[in-house]
Amino acid sequence: MFDTIIVGAGVAGAVAARKLAEEGNRSVLVIERRSHIGGNCYDCPDEYGVLIHEYGPHIFHTDEESVREYLSRFTEWYDFGHEVVANVGDKLIPVPFNLNTLHMVYEKEKADRLEKKLLEEYGEGSRVPIMKLRENADPDIREIAEYVYQNIFLRYTMKQWGQKPEEISPEVTGRVPVVISYDNRYFKDKYQGVPKNGFTPMFEKMLRHKNIEVRLNTDCRELLCFQDGKIYFQDEEFTGDLIYTGAIDELFDCRFGRLPYRSLDFRFEHLDTDSYQGHSVVNYTVSEDFTRITEFKFLTGQTDADGTTIVKEYPFAYTGAKGEIPYYAILEDENQALYEKYRSLTEDYQGFYLLGRLAEYKYYNIDAMALKAMELADRLMKK
Ligand code: FAD
Ligand code: UDP
């Protein structure tokens, strides 16, 4: 029998498993329904030898020293300041919109004048959410906001969420603020990059421990059953800790209806050329049905593969059909209330913990997820 069972071998599951196995000396079973570990951070070489991120581009970025330090036990890093450009008309402009973008969009005299205003109003280095910038009383600043709204946010958000920026949670558009500086980086964090040899080898090393057993290709519902306040593992009562990182509605057979998610269709193409777009990520903010194109070589720094592989992301509403993956929780009050109904069902079960982007129905980045997993493991070890 295991001391702890963890469902899901993504960041949340893998970090919690390693800590509990190593520092808590617990025997840990990790159950993963996919054929691989790493969750949505999984990467692997494609048939042409190009290292790809199967579930979309993942860049590790953090200001959290403890997370960087913990993960660094399992990997070295290829560090870079991640930059993104948007394809707008005949131009590629830096995103988040910043002072460099301002000078590409407006002629010099106007750009200088607007820059001065932005600096006076917000101060050098400020990060202003687009929905806030639109509320500014100054018509010049509102003109910039209108440009950014129309050319960067409106259509991209419509594609990604099926809703306008003003209809979705401000937390979401606030992730990509207007930046009052000449910094072209997409994130502001101190550490940015990808594991030197890829995410998957990092997770392999993390899960390689004598106290951890990983079972792939296994849906937890084949092994676990919840009944009258008791958890059963392979028909025997399980009284250890159970950490669940999957979607909570699924675990309870969607009895209150499905939690809404946005999904993505990733379409990969290999091209017999050295470079397709010369950038790791190009956002299509005014045209096309896909949101962005990632060219992996420019993300991973790989130099030893012939040709190049790109991926286009087509968003759609998750329906729960076979093969679909729920990628993004939709942060709305109604959905949160439904989530709470499911969450309250778990209160009947002792030692049952929800952890992860799916299980908590939140918009976590990798670093936030790793930190939560570290904190939960620490808490459980103190019990
Ligand atoms: P997941 O990675 O989803 O892992 C959950 C695991 O549980 C999965 O492997 C799943 O198969 C398994 N599972 C679910 N149900 C069951 C079941 N019933 N039985 C067994 N196993 C089950 N974050 C960043 O910091 N930087 C980025 O650049 C970035 N880019 C992203 C791009 C995209 C397109 C997406 C969707 C997310 C991105 N993220 C990024 C967020 C990042 O993917 C998440 O923070 C992280 O993967 C969350 O880890 P997790 O362990 O909670 O979930
Ligand atoms: N966004 C946008 N245009 C862009 C980049 C982002 O409209 O060029 C909006 C969009 O609503 C997106 C949100 O900002 O969903 C958050 O962007 P982020 O890049 O953080 O999304 P993720 O990488 O998590 O998909």
Side-chain angles (χ1 to χ4, degrees), residues 7-13 31-34 36 38-41 55-61 187 218-221 244-247 250 264 266 292 313 327-328 355-358 364-367 369:
V7 176
V11 188
I31 304 170
E32 169 55 60
R33 71 174 165 203
R34 294 184 192 173
H36 59 75
N40 290 339
C41 296
Y55 307 96
H58 278 73
I59 299 99
F60 174 71
H61 55 101
F187 310 112
T218 310
D219 194 305
C220 73
R221 289 167 296 184
Y244 179 75
T245 75
E250 271 186 10
L264 295 168
F266 293 105
R292 57 184 175 186
E313 296 175 39
Y327 288 114
Y328 295 90
L355 175 75
R357 185 154 148 134
L358 291 168
Y364 285 128
N365 290 328
I366 299 169
D367 64 330
M369 209 58 271

Side-chain angles (χ1 to χ4, degrees), residues 172-308:
V172 176
T173 46
R175 288 168 58 91
V176 187
V178 169
V179 177
I180 318 297
S181 79
Y182 284 95
D183 185 353
N184 276 347
R185 294 174 312 158
Y186 201 64
F187 310 112
K188 66 169 176 32
D189 307 66
K190 176 170 173 193
Y191 301 108
Q192 309 190 12
V194 289
K196 204 170 203 167
N197 300 312
F199 281 98
T200 307
M202 176 179 83
F203 288 113
E204 276 166 359
K205 199 166 171 195
M206 200 181 292
L207 288 168
R208 201 178 305 130
H209 188 275
K210 63 180 179 19
N211 293 344
I212 301 178
E213 180 181 325
V214 180
R215 270 187 221 171
L216 297 176
N217 302 303
T218 310
D219 194 305
C220 73
R221 289 167 296 184
E222 293 165 23
L223 303 177
L224 290 166
C225 157
F226 298 80
Q227 222 165 34
D228 305 327
K230 287 184 177 158
I231 297 171
Y232 296 86
F233 172 63
Q234 292 182 318
D235 299 328
E236 266 184 58
E237 191 179 344
F238 178 72
T239 53
D241 287 329
L242 171 63
I243 300 176
Y244 179 75
T245 75
I248 184 75
D249 54 343
E250 271 186 10
L251 195 60
F252 294 104
D253 302 320
C254 299
R255 67 176 71 162
F256 306 129
R258 273 199 182 279
L259 273 168
Y261 288 95
R262 294 295 286 178
S263 190
L264 295 168
D265 181 12
F266 293 105
R267 295 194 204 154
F268 291 84
E269 288 170 41
H270 183 80
L271 304 152
D272 197 12
T273 169
D274 243 13
S275 161
Y276 172 75
Q277 61 188 20
H279 296 267
S280 57
V281 179
V282 178
N283 286 1
Y284 282 76
T285 55
V286 289
S287 62
E288 313 302 334
D289 293 334
F290 48 83
T291 48
R292 57 184 175 186
I293 299 183
T294 299
E295 184 168 6
F296 289 102
K297 275 180 154 184
F298 291 92
L299 191 66
T300 60
Q302 186 179 11
T303 51
D304 64 352
D306 290 333
T308 193

